[in-house]
Every structure is written in C-alpha cells, then in structure tokens.
Amino acid sequence: MTTEEFIRQHENDDVATLALKAPRGGEVDVAFALRQIAGRQRARKKLPRWAATEGILYPPPLSMEQCSSEATAAYKAALVARCQPQRMIDLTGGFGVDFSYLARGASEAVYVERQETLCQLALHNLPLLGLGHAEVVCADATDYLTTMPPADLIYIDPARRDDRGGRTFAIEDCTPNILAWRDTLLEKAPTVLVKLSPMLDWRAAAQALGEAVTEVHIVAAGHECKELLLWMERKPRPLTVVCKDDDYTECFSAGSVTGDLRHWAEVRIEEGRRRWLLEPYAPLMKAGFFAVLETRYGVRQIAANSHLFIAEDEEKAVLFPGRCFEIEGMGSLNKKELKRLLQGVSRAQISVRNFPLKAEELRKRLRLADGGDTCLFATTLADGSHVIIRGKRGRFFSQQ
C-alpha cells in the first residue's frame, strides 16, 4: 500500500486512534499520512474549496490552526479589490490561504515566507488553485521589505507567538513589529492591510499606528470574533470602524459618541407588556459604540457596563443586530425569587454580562443542566443590583 492509498483509505478515521494502530516500517510514510488526514479533515470545515481541490498538501497542525478561514480570506479579498492592485505582496505567506484570495485580483503576486517547508507547500499548492503566476520567495519579511521594489498593496499578518510558542497579543510583541516598520511599509506601498489578533484593543492599535490607519475592520464568523484588520494609507482621512459578522455589516465613525447616554432602561416585568432583551453581535461588543446603537435602533441599555439592551416593541427588536430574547421574568439571587423565576426549568442556556459569577459557577449554583429553550442572562442593573433575566428566543431569531 502506498502512502496516498493509506490516506484515502483512512481519510475519515479518527487521527489519534489511527496513530496508535497504523503499521510501522512499511512503504507508508505514517507521519506524513497522519498530517494529511488531519489537515483534510480540518479543511472540510475551514477551507472547503481547498479540501475539494485534488492534490492539496497540508502543513503541521499549528499552521492549520493559524491560517484564515475561506470566509475571512474572501472578506479581505473584497477589501483589497477596491484599490485594484496590479502588484501585491504578502509578507507573511504562511499556509497561503489569504494569499490565494488576495492574489487573484493582481497581475503580479508575491508570496513571502521564512519557513522553507511552507514555501515548498505553496509551490505545490498554488498552481493547483489556479495561481500559476504567483512568485514564491523564501525570506524573512523584514529582510525582503527593505530590498523589494514598490508595490500597490502589502498584506502582513505578523506572528502572534513568542520564541517559546506562547501567544502574544500586543502589537509591539508580534513578529515583525508593525510599529517599528510602519513607515517603511508605507514607503513601499500606498496601501497596507494588517491582520491582528481579535483580542487586541482596536483603539490602542489604531492610536499606536497613528493617522495612517484609515479603517478598522472587526471580522467575525458564526458570531465569534476572528480577526482585527487595520487598513493603512499614505494619505490620512477620518477613521471608519466596520463590524462584520457573516451577512451583517455596519459602519461607524471613530469620532462617534462612544460613552453611555445615562438614560438606562428600567427592567420591569408588567402584566400584558412585552419587552425584549437584546445582546449585540460580537463585533459590536468589541467596537464599543453602544450609545450609537441606542440612537440608531431606538433601544436603551440597562446599565453602563452590562452592554445589554431593552426594546419596547417587536419591530425594534427585529431590526436590532444581535441575539434577541422575549423577556419572561426577572429576579434576584434571593432563594424565593429564584424558585419563582426558575419554576419548571431543569435546563437552560446561561450567559453572564457584568456579573460577579462565571456562567459555569452560576449553573452549579442554580443546579441546571445545559441546553433547552430557556435562556438566562445574569447581569447588573444601573442601580448596582445583580439580577437574572429569563427569556425565550423571539420568533424572528432566525436572522441571528
């Protein structure tokens, strides 16, 4: 049996189990085969177009973990298409997913990567993806940057791990350090697109890089923040913040009011009165334009740091960009109130916002299993009281 035959025969098997049972000493390169099987399995979800392409070879697990999904790569390609670059450079090619999308709109596309094994994979994979015109360069990003000819666009995704493999999140701790190389990047290209960790504070990053940052894109997939993108240009202009989550997109001026309006919604349960609890999409949470959301959608926050909103009518609840729950009840942590609030509930979905207990701690305290149709939000009201709000998903929840 050849290595490729082994891969095909076991392509759906559990890799950990297969590693224990796989024969050693034959013609099969077991280590390579296991890596390809694991890579193909992960690619089916993260990179379906790559997974469907015959002959693609996959890297070690860390590179697969770090690479973009096809959805986020396609979003970056749409951004880049606006400036129609003839020559684009990806200074941190990695597995090549982002490059494979960005390069399609350029007549000259250069993939730069310091790891020779990844360069070899790029030389093999890119032609299979229809990118035979791509130039693959094995070099350190900063070394190549100092000697490269001018380009129309530079893309860079600095490594977010230190020499010991630990994660880093501060912009100055990434490799290469964008702060140190900002001026050189903009000398070489009028437009630079930087990908950073979604854990990073976008305001701090934009402030550190100065007026060259003209756009911030907070990108989520499946309601989970995946990337923070900084769009830099030579010519300064007012900063725009874009929140993207699957099919939802919303823009904000960075100069918009970001504080609270201090007119908090009063959360009261009244007979015959329907109200909805709203939780913004993840990019909106990260962006922090809560007062703007109040104005745009006609809703009100329940407190300064809880970042949950109340809608007084169904039409406003339907339009709000986030999760929506029709409020069924509310109570404190008082035993009597909890008994009333949780009557008939044995399992629930629990979320906490600005609350002294974590979700799992609260679940143990309430003795509730996970799941079911009941949703509990533990939070803090404007008067400082800790409450649990019980809700059910609105009938229009399909939009989320």
Side-chain angles (χ1 to χ4, degrees):
M1 179 184 294
T2 66
T3 300
E4 182 56 35
E5 289 172 338
F6 180 88
I7 292 172
R8 291 183 181 278
Q9 181 177 334
H10 298 283
E11 62 182 358
N12 296 315
D13 292 359
D14 179 74
V15 177
T17 303
L18 188 59
L20 297 174
K21 296 181 178 180
R24 299 296 196 274
E27 295 182 7
V28 176
D29 183 340
V30 175
F32 174 81
L34 293 175
R35 189 176 80 196
Q36 297 311 306
I37 293 169
R40 290 183 185 185
Q41 290 177 357
R42 186 158 192 168
R44 288 171 193 162
K45 294 182 179 180
K46 191 174 185 178
L47 309 169
R49 183 169 172 271
W50 286 54
T53 302
E54 190 70 25
I56 293 290
L57 296 180
Y58 295 93
L62 180 59
S63 294
M64 281 297 292
E65 175 190 330
Q66 293 177 335
C67 75
S68 295
S69 67
E70 286 186 12
T72 56
Y75 180 74
K76 289 189 280 288
L79 295 181
V80 167
R82 300 176 304 176
C83 62
Q84 300 180 318
Q86 294 302 302
R87 177 178 170 81
M88 66 80 56
I89 313 291
D90 183 342
L91 286 175
T92 49
F95 185 37
V97 176
D98 283 331
F99 178 82
S100 72
Y101 276 80
L102 301 178
R104 295 188 183 281
S107 55
E108 295 181 61
V110 183
Y111 161 106
V112 181
E113 170 57 49
R114 63 181 179 177
Q115 296 186 51
E116 186 175 354
T117 54
L118 292 177
C119 290
Q120 293 300 318
L121 288 178
L123 286 168
H124 173 86
N125 290 335
L126 293 176
L128 298 177
L129 295 164
L131 295 168
H133 70 296
E135 178 185 353
V136 175
V137 177
C138 187
D140 178 80
T142 54
D143 291 341
Y144 183 83
L145 178 63
T146 55
T147 59
M148 63 173 264
D152 300 304
L153 177 131
I154 292 175
Y155 173 67
I156 186 165
D157 176 10
R160 294 186 288 276
R161 289 185 182 272
D162 58 28
D163 295 337
R164 297 179 298 278
R167 289 182 180 272
T168 59
F169 299 108
I171 189 171
E172 62 271 18
D173 293 334
C174 296
T175 305
N177 181 353
I178 302 298
L179 295 180
W181 290 92
R182 183 199 65 174
D183 293 345
T184 304
L185 287 164
L186 290 168
E187 286 173 6
K188 294 291 185 175
T191 305
V192 178
L193 179 59
V194 183
K195 173 184 170 182
L196 296 170
S197 166
M199 301 295 292
L200 201 65
D201 182 334
W202 71 263
R203 293 183 184 279
Q207 184 177 16
L209 288 167
E211 62 182 9
V213 179
T214 57
E215 295 176 17
V216 173
H217 295 258
I218 305 171
V219 184
H223 311 315
E224 180 182 350
C225 284
K226 297 293 186 180
E227 298 178 355
L228 176 64
L229 305 175
L230 303 184
W231 182 272
M232 298 199 300
E233 298 175 336
R234 288 174 181 167
K235 296 182 179 180
R237 55 184 171 91
L239 177 60
T240 299
V241 179
V242 181
C243 295
K244 172 70 175 176
D245 191 344
D246 295 339
D247 294 333
Y248 160 79
T249 305
E250 188 148 4
C251 300
F252 302 87
S253 167
S256 300
V257 176
T258 57
D260 60 74
L261 298 183
R262 299 198 179 282
H263 299 295
W264 311 118
E266 190 175 358
V267 187
R268 290 189 301 176
I269 308 303
E270 300 176 10
E271 189 70 29
R273 184 181 183 185
R274 300 174 70 195
R275 300 178 111 191
W276 289 264
L277 182 71
L278 310 171
E279 180 188 41
Y281 286 136
L284 292 172
M285 285 287 196
K286 185 166 185 62
F289 294 95
F290 301 111
V292 180
L293 291 176
E294 286 187 320
T295 303
R296 284 187 184 179
Y297 293 98
V299 296
R300 292 168 65 188
Q301 295 181 74
I302 65 172
N305 299 310
S306 296
H307 307 321
L308 295 171
F309 296 75
I310 295 291
E312 299 287 347
D313 61 71
E314 188 170 349
E315 182 179 359
K316 291 177 180 178
V318 170
L319 295 175
F320 189 81
R323 297 202 299 162
C324 174
F325 305 87
E326 185 171 354
I327 297 176
E328 296 181 308
M330 182 182 74
S332 69
L333 294 178
N334 176 279
K335 289 185 178 181
K336 186 176 181 180
E337 289 193 33
L338 283 177
K339 184 177 180 179
R340 171 186 54 79
L341 181 67
L342 302 178
Q343 184 175 4
V345 177
S346 60
R347 56 195 310 114
Q349 301 173 48
I350 296 178
S351 298
V352 297
R353 292 285 179 194
N354 188 27
F355 196 75
L357 297 178
K358 295 180 180 178
E360 283 308 308
E361 293 173 334
L362 182 60
R363 183 180 301 283
K364 290 180 181 179
R365 181 167 176 174
L366 299 179
R367 299 179 181 178
L368 295 175
D370 191 16
D373 296 326
T374 299
C375 301
L376 301 178
F377 274 84
T379 188
T380 302
L381 300 182
D383 62 4
S385 59
H386 302 313
V387 298
I388 297 177
I389 301 174
R390 173 177 168 173
K392 64 179 180 180
R393 291 179 175 179
R395 60 180 175 82
F396 41 81
F397 186 77
S398 59
Q399 74 168 2
Q400 291 105 37

